Amino acid sequence: MQTDLDLLILGGGCAGLSLALRLAEAPGRCRRVAVIEARPDYANDRSWCFWRLGPHRFEPLVTQSWSRIAVRSASRVVVADCAQTPYQLLEAGNFYTHARHVLANSDTVRLSLGVSVNGPPVAVAHGWRVETSAGALTAAQVIDTRPPSVPRHGDSTLWQSFFGQELVCERPVFDAACVELMDFTEVVSGAVAFTYVLPLAPDRALVETTLFDPHPRGPSDLAQHHRRAVRRLCGDAPTRMLRSEAGMLPMGMAHDPGALGRGHLRAGLMSGAARPATGYAFQRIQRWADACGEALRHGKTPRGHHTDPLLTRIMDRLFLDVLRSQPERGAELFVRLFGGTDMRRIVRFLSDRGTLLDRAAIVASLPAGLFLRQLLRSARRDLAEA
Ligand SMILES: Cc1cc2nc3c(=O)[nH]c(=O)nc-3n(C[C@H](O)[C@H](O)[C@H](O)COP(=O)(O)OP(=O)(O)OC[C@H]3O[C@@H](n4cnc5c(N)ncnc54)[C@H](O)[C@@H]3O)c2cc1C
């Protein structure tokens, strides 16, 4: 018995649409593809930023590219030049519009908006059966990019919770040439909390309040800190809000291997895409979509997100353990890291391209005693849990 589809992609967000784009361009042996997305329409709900490591497929959609970033604590400011690997902004709204346009003209990939998937796929002869609000579908393979669970305390070493607003001030108050990557000016006791500012023009910026904490936090938990940050940045200049965005990104989630059974795979933010040290996932999703699309069009078994190399996992975990146990030292550690390491090394490390020398330089910039003590504490904890 033939299935309705070669491939069914559950969830048409960043991961689902990224894979769909690859298959629409070059389907190979994967010719009948559907993407099922619950949202009836897309909104400009995310500001995806990443370091440009070289030419990439979304170059025409990038709306901002910065060559300087700043990291500041209450007592010190580090401004770093990143002109060789600019920090770029791709607004999700532009990405969704582009994907819809490409898929509307595709003979092989169909995008269904406003259709919800109900429950997990069920194995049937030759593939999988998926119940949706528009009826059941069968497919030889299913790639599930829906978040497998809601963010919960304990599922990740830390959660990166943030709430941001795109603001227009009546006076120019932002330095449009420099991203405020981490501004710890306002100290929040017992938490790693900072403001992230993407200046879009001298009078317009996305101002985000971010917290690294074992508990995931919603916008209302961040509201007070956010109001203070906006007041400090914009002063008494009348301010208008254009839009807002919020998120909870896992930092140090137990790795999800992705494969759930023959022909059934998980992918996306909560399934191994997020880099533990940063919560960033956009570029990792693109690398996964490239590899997954390539496998599917050649009739090979697609895989989930790569497990990070051992050394990266150890470094990320140790750093997160230090932040979790000593959040009050967060500002100092980030300022030391960015102030004491060549920016090119940091960017390579954060973008999964770090060399041994890059890692050594990063380790050398941080206080050895603090990390050694944490290493011993973490080792003792692991032994006790084993
Ligand atoms: C506000 C925000 C800003 C971010 N900024 C950055 C950044 O600057 N850099 C970076 O690298 N990463 C960033 N991230 C992290 C990451 O890149 C994004 O979360 C990215 O969207 C993850 O892609 P995804 O496909 O896993 O999840 P999503 O894009 O959320 O896609 C999942 C999709 O599944 C759909 N869905 C869920 N349930 C169902 C169902 N039952 N039936 C059908 N469809 C369903 C959802 O509607 C959604 O469209 C950000 C995240 C957020 C939230």
Side-chain angles (χ1 to χ4, degrees):
M1 193 190 81
Q2 232 206 3
T3 51
D4 302 329
L5 299 157
D6 296 325
L7 173 68
L8 184 52
I9 301 173
L10 311 184
C14 183
L17 291 178
S18 296
L19 177 60
L21 283 172
R22 271 56 170 196
L23 293 171
E25 279 165 16
R29 291 167 64 173
C30 203
R31 303 206 68 83
R32 297 171 307 149
V33 181
V35 184
I36 304 295
E37 167 56 41
R39 287 182 271 182
D41 205 353
Y42 290 108
N44 187 22
D45 59 354
R46 283 144 216 230
S47 307
W48 285 313
C49 282
F50 49 86
W51 311 95
R52 181 184 186 275
L53 303 169
H56 59 82
R57 63 165 49 232
F58 296 118
E59 218 95 60
L61 301 183
V62 166
T63 48
Q64 300 276 341
S65 201
W66 294 274
S67 300
R68 272 192 294 138
I69 59 107
V71 175
R72 63 180 80 223
S73 66
S75 57
R76 193 176 159 204
V77 186
V78 172
V79 177
D81 183 316
C82 59
Q84 291 192 3
T85 52
Y87 193 63
Q88 298 198 315
L89 167 65
L90 196 166
E91 294 184 53
N94 292 337
F95 171 86
Y96 299 137
T97 304
H98 166 71
R100 284 185 77 169
H101 174 73
V102 172
L103 300 185
N105 292 299
S106 167
D107 296 331
T108 49
V109 186
R110 190 184 73 230
L111 169 64
S112 298
L113 291 179
V115 178
S116 290
V117 176
N118 303 324
V122 175
V124 293
H126 309 295
W128 299 86
R129 178 186 168 92
V130 173
E131 298 294 337
T132 79
S133 56
L137 288 167
T138 57
Q141 305 201 59
V142 173
I143 295 189
D144 196 347
T145 73
R146 295 171 298 162
S149 57
V150 292
R152 270 188 317 231
H153 175 248
D155 285 353
S156 181
T157 308
L158 291 173
W159 288 97
Q160 179 176 155
S161 306
F162 55 92
F163 170 65
Q165 293 178 316
E166 189 176 328
L167 301 171
V168 182
C169 295
E170 266 191 14
R171 280 201 309 273
V173 291
F174 303 109
D175 174 357
C178 183
V179 168
E180 294 285 329
L181 196 66
M182 303 178 108
D183 177 347
F184 292 93
T185 308
E186 268 139 78
V187 178
V188 175
S189 77
V192 180
F194 59 91
T195 310
Y196 170 74
V197 183
L198 291 180
L200 306 170
D203 63 348
R204 187 162 65 92
L206 177 73
V207 177
E208 256 174 32
T209 294
T210 305
L211 200 71
F212 295 172
D213 192 74
H215 293 271
R217 308 281 182 184
S220 58
D221 300 316
L222 305 171
Q224 203 188 359
H225 186 260
H226 185 71
R227 272 197 299 274
R228 275 206 309 271
V230 171
R231 213 174 306 128
R232 177 173 54 81
L233 290 165
C234 302
D236 54 5
T239 306
R240 191 160 47 91
M241 188 192 72
L242 299 182
R243 64 177 192 94
S244 66
E245 63 179 59
M248 295 169 192
L249 312 183
M251 299 175 81
M253 206 164 200
H255 181 65
D256 182 326
L260 299 171
R262 204 178 140 71
H264 181 197
L265 192 73
R266 269 215 189 108
L269 180 73
M270 306 272 272
S271 300
R275 171 74 188 267
T278 61
Y280 277 28
F282 183 80
Q283 278 178 322
R284 288 159 71 100
I285 286 173
Q286 300 315 317
R287 285 197 287 273
W288 164 80
D290 282 336
C292 191
E294 186 65 10
L296 287 163
R297 72 174 66 96
H298 290 106
K300 296 192 181 141
T301 306
R303 294 182 193 287
H305 297 279
H306 283 296
T307 307
D308 288 312
L310 182 64
L311 199 50
T312 304
R313 277 184 279 149
I314 292 172
M315 286 179 70
D316 281 11
R317 171 136 188 243
L318 186 57
F319 196 67
L320 294 176
D321 280 349
V322 167
L323 290 180
R324 188 179 159 127
S325 64
Q326 311 221 23
E328 66 286 354
R329 296 198 64 176
E332 169 208 341
L333 293 176
F334 282 106
V335 167
R336 279 180 75 152
L337 171 66
F338 281 89
T341 317
D342 186 318
M343 194 58 201
R344 286 166 299 185
R345 293 196 186 284
I346 297 180
V347 168
R348 279 199 296 267
F349 177 68
L350 295 182
S351 308
D352 304 330
R353 303 240 174 127
T355 63
L356 263 182
L357 274 179
D358 296 337
R359 291 165 210 271
I362 284 167
V363 168
S365 72
L366 297 167
L370 176 67
F371 280 80
L372 280 175
R373 283 192 298 278
Q374 183 61 52
L375 193 62
L376 290 175
R377 270 200 300 272
S378 300
R380 272 202 298 271
R381 182 195 59 203
D382 289 351
L383 277 176
E385 284 173 3

